[in-house]
Amino acid sequence: MAAHFGRLRKGATTTAVAAVAVAALSASQAPGVTTDDLGRQAAGAAQPSGDAKTGGAGGGATGDSPYYTDLPPLKSPNPSPSASPTTGTTVSVGEAEAGIPATVLDAYKKAEAELRSSKPGCNLPWQLLAAIGKVESGQARGGRVDASGTTYSPILGPKLDGNGFALIADTDHGAYDGDPAYDRAVGPMQFIPSTWEWAGRDGNGDGKKDPNNVYDAALAAGHYLCRFDRDLSVQSQMNAAILNYNNSTEYLNTVLSWLEYYRKGTHEVPDGTGTLPSHSSNSDPGASPSPTTPATPSTPSTPRTPSTPKPGGAGSTSPTPKPPTPSSPAPSPTPPTPTQTVDHLEDANTGKLTATAGSAFGTKVVVRAESKASKGVAKVRVRFTIIGDTDATFTGGESVATVVTGSAGTATAPALVAGEKTGDFTVRATVVGRVLGGLDYTATVTPRQADTLTRTSDTALTCVPGGEFADQVELKATYKGAVAGKVAATATLIKSADDATENDKGPYFKDADGKTIRTLTDLTTDADGVLKLPKLYADDATGTFLLRVNTAGGAVLTVELKVAAAAS
């Protein structure tokens, strides 16, 4: 990592070295770490430090750039369960170091989910990405990212010019790092340009691969760690992956320390409020600080003109003035991010959310992010979450969707698609990166319906006493002229057209045990709207009997059944 938050003082050198020593000591018990005959630590099964694809000097993804050596607190996060006002889910709330900015945390978890699908054998934990993100960039400078996950200013490492660092001449003509002479590590996960050229990924779906975007960088880091068919649940293979990222045993120990810490509990904090590290492996005060845009220094005060010697004196003069000391650079005020200016969410004329099972909702949830002055705030990430006992999803099959507000401050959730479960559920809208109250919308899934039932055959249904009907009753359901598939129905042998109670004589069905039943429930039409009833049997009673079928939506059909003795 090469991004610093200011030049280290000389006194910080000792602190940084001490931190590295503590890291090495505390991690010496880490699985897979051994000691050679000279007392130096080594990690087993490491890949060669040179990048296999680029052959560049300096190992791994970062070119072995500097990184932050701050260690996690010795005390466990000791998380306590709490409902997150942002996501509505249970999270752990602990000390400040365990807090990860909302957008950065979302990027790590999305990368883990993608790798779980594309490379399930890798077993990548998002906490490993968080540990690397911590030591490489302090979680993107404490979460200083916009709604799409891009850092507000580039995070750049020092020139890899061989002066205290690896020597890597320019490979990208300054396209990624702005330096046409030497490469620099770039972005929240500190990729050197030559590695990003082939390892870069589009993690936020905007069609670009930007090393300064935390979604892109986290996904790229995940794929980089999962190379060589590694299984990161095996400690030696995880060690190899980390060393391949930055070939330093101290780096390995520091990352493993943060990994263990984050595994014990983390919590989401608003973007821009994450804790910032202060100690770097680059502890030489003479080394170049991070080439982030410096604040404009104040103008040095003008030195006073020496006084003229007083007459009559023995050559006495006023004391020679000391050279003026330039003022310290005045820190530039940090403007609030769009997310930080949001005061509340307002509904933006969302209509009634109702759909029939299996169909798309005709109305979408629309909200507006507003400031205290009730003005719309653009470029804010709004998270929509489906809550409740339902199989409804957003288009694409997800139960959570994140949308960036437009110029008017509005965000429209993807279309809802009803599943087969009927009833009510909730769609919750919250602002990502802010602890604000959300908006809840009730959505209703109604049963599939049919308004018409017809027989598929006009053959008379007849039987002799004590026999069975040769033909089974088959019906077709439609709704507004269209096939009504998967519609619930019931069938009952009734006493008469005016008395719909169950008959106690005449035709009957049989249950699984062969017992007589005259009412069938839990019937459903097939995908083509067809409903075929089980076989009918007759007892000794003769005459004309009625079978009535009802469906959800109000379709009703009464079918005649005749039982008569056979003609002699």
Side-chain angles (χ1 to χ4, degrees):
M1 208 293 304
H4 306 273
F5 298 96
R7 183 187 295 272
L8 293 170
R9 301 186 305 274
K10 288 186 178 180
T13 303
T14 303
T15 307
V17 173
V20 173
V22 173
L25 178 62
S26 64
S28 64
Q29 305 303 318
V33 177
T34 59
T35 305
D36 64 18
D37 293 337
L38 298 177
R40 296 173 300 196
Q41 289 181 352
Q47 297 292 337
S49 62
D51 189 76
K53 291 220 175 191
T54 65
T62 69
D64 293 344
S65 293
Y67 55 91
Y68 287 111
T69 59
D70 295 48
L71 291 172
L74 294 177
K75 182 180 177 182
S76 166
N78 192 25
S80 57
S82 174
S84 167
T86 305
T87 64
T89 57
T90 300
V91 297
S92 298
V93 177
E95 56 192 39
E97 285 290 355
I100 300 178
T103 300
V104 179
L105 179 60
D106 188 52
Y108 296 149
K109 291 185 175 181
K110 274 185 165 50
E112 179 199 56
E114 196 279 339
L115 267 299
R116 190 186 306 126
S117 173
S118 63
K119 294 185 178 180
C122 179
N123 295 305
L124 170 77
W126 66 260
Q127 291 92 339
L128 176 57
L129 296 176
I132 291 176
K134 179 70 174 180
V135 302
E136 292 293 353
S137 67
Q139 310 297 17
R141 296 192 187 118
R144 292 286 300 159
V145 296
D146 64 18
S148 67
T150 302
T151 58
Y152 283 110
S153 58
I155 299 177
L156 299 174
K159 294 181 179 181
L160 298 177
D161 57 5
N163 184 20
F165 310 108
L167 174 59
I168 304 180
D170 175 65
T171 62
D172 65 330
H173 305 291
Y176 294 120
D177 55 15
D179 191 329
Y182 298 97
D183 273 350
R184 301 182 180 193
V186 183
M189 305 303 276
Q190 289 289 274
F191 279 93
I192 55 175
S194 57
T195 301
W196 183 261
E197 189 62 32
W198 61 265
R201 294 291 193 281
D202 177 13
N204 62 353
D206 63 357
K208 297 184 294 184
K209 299 176 183 178
D210 182 1
N212 280 301
N213 181 279
V214 70
Y215 286 96
D216 295 358
L219 183 58
H223 278 278
Y224 189 93
L225 293 165
C226 288
R227 294 189 306 159
F228 310 118
D229 294 324
R230 293 189 182 107
D231 179 358
L232 300 186
S233 65
V234 178
Q235 188 63 50
S236 62
Q237 295 190 39
M238 177 182 284
N239 292 351
I242 297 171
L243 285 168
N244 203 195
Y245 204 90
N246 189 318
N247 190 30
S248 160
T249 302
E250 288 78 10
Y251 179 86
L252 169 68
N253 294 335
T254 306
V255 169
L256 290 177
S257 296
W258 281 106
L259 169 62
E260 182 64 21
Y261 182 76
Y262 285 143
R263 275 176 164 167
K264 291 178 180 177
T266 61
H267 60 276
E268 178 183 294
V269 298
D271 290 343
T273 65
T275 57
L276 303 180
S278 56
H279 300 98
S280 171
S281 62
N282 171 27
S283 57
D284 179 6
S288 300
S290 172
T292 53
T293 305
T296 304
S298 302
T299 304
S301 55
T302 303
R304 293 180 298 173
T305 305
S307 308
T308 304
K310 294 181 181 179
S316 63
T317 62
S318 298
T320 303
K322 296 180 179 179
T325 302
S327 302
S328 299
S332 300
T334 303
T337 67
T339 300
Q340 290 170 331
T341 65
V342 176
D343 179 71
H344 59 276
L345 286 176
E346 281 289 329
D347 175 58
N349 298 318
T350 300
K352 188 175 182 180
L353 298 171
T354 304
T356 302
S359 64
F361 284 71
T363 302
K364 296 180 180 180
V365 177
V366 186
V367 300
R368 187 169 187 255
E370 295 187 352
S371 64
K372 284 186 178 180
S374 295
K375 292 184 177 180
V377 182
K379 297 183 179 180
V380 172
R381 298 174 68 242
V382 176
R383 180 180 294 146
F384 298 95
T385 307
I386 295 175
I387 301 171
D389 183 17
T390 181
D391 54 357
T393 64
F394 293 113
T395 302
E398 300 293 333
S399 60
V400 178
T402 303
V403 180
V404 179
T405 58
S407 59
T410 58
T412 302
L416 286 164
V417 179
E420 295 304 320
K421 288 186 178 180
T422 59
D424 293 343
F425 64 92
T426 299
V427 179
R428 178 169 297 164
T430 55
V431 177
V432 177
R434 287 298 307 275
V435 181
L436 296 173
L439 294 179
D440 284 354
Y441 295 86
T442 299
T444 303
V445 179
T446 59
R448 297 170 185 262
Q449 300 179 3
D451 55 16
T452 304
L453 274 175
T454 57
R455 281 190 64 197
T456 60
S457 170
D458 56 4
T459 303
L461 298 167
T462 61
C463 185
V464 297
E468 64 180 54
F469 287 80
D471 297 310
Q472 291 176 245
V473 177
E474 186 176 274
L475 312 172
K476 186 163 187 176
T478 56
Y479 183 70
K480 295 183 179 179
V483 168
K486 299 183 180 180
V487 175
T490 60
T492 306
L493 291 152
I494 60 176
K495 290 184 176 180
S496 70
D498 299 324
D499 185 355
T501 57
E502 182 181 288
N503 207 339
D504 55 2
K505 61 181 180 180
Y508 60 91
F509 300 104
K510 291 181 180 180
D511 65 11
D513 297 324
K515 295 180 180 178
T516 298
I517 56 172
R518 289 189 168 89
T519 299
L520 298 175
T521 58
D522 298 327
L523 300 172
T524 306
T525 63
D526 65 16
D528 297 322
V530 175
L531 175 64
K532 190 172 186 177
L533 301 182
K535 273 191 174 185
L536 277 163
Y537 302 87
D539 60 13
D540 294 336
T542 60
T544 299
F545 301 90
L546 299 178
L547 170 67
R548 181 162 292 172
V549 182
N550 300 270
T551 70
V556 179
L557 180 66
T558 302
V559 180
E560 286 189 351
L561 305 172
K562 293 184 179 181
V563 180
S568 58

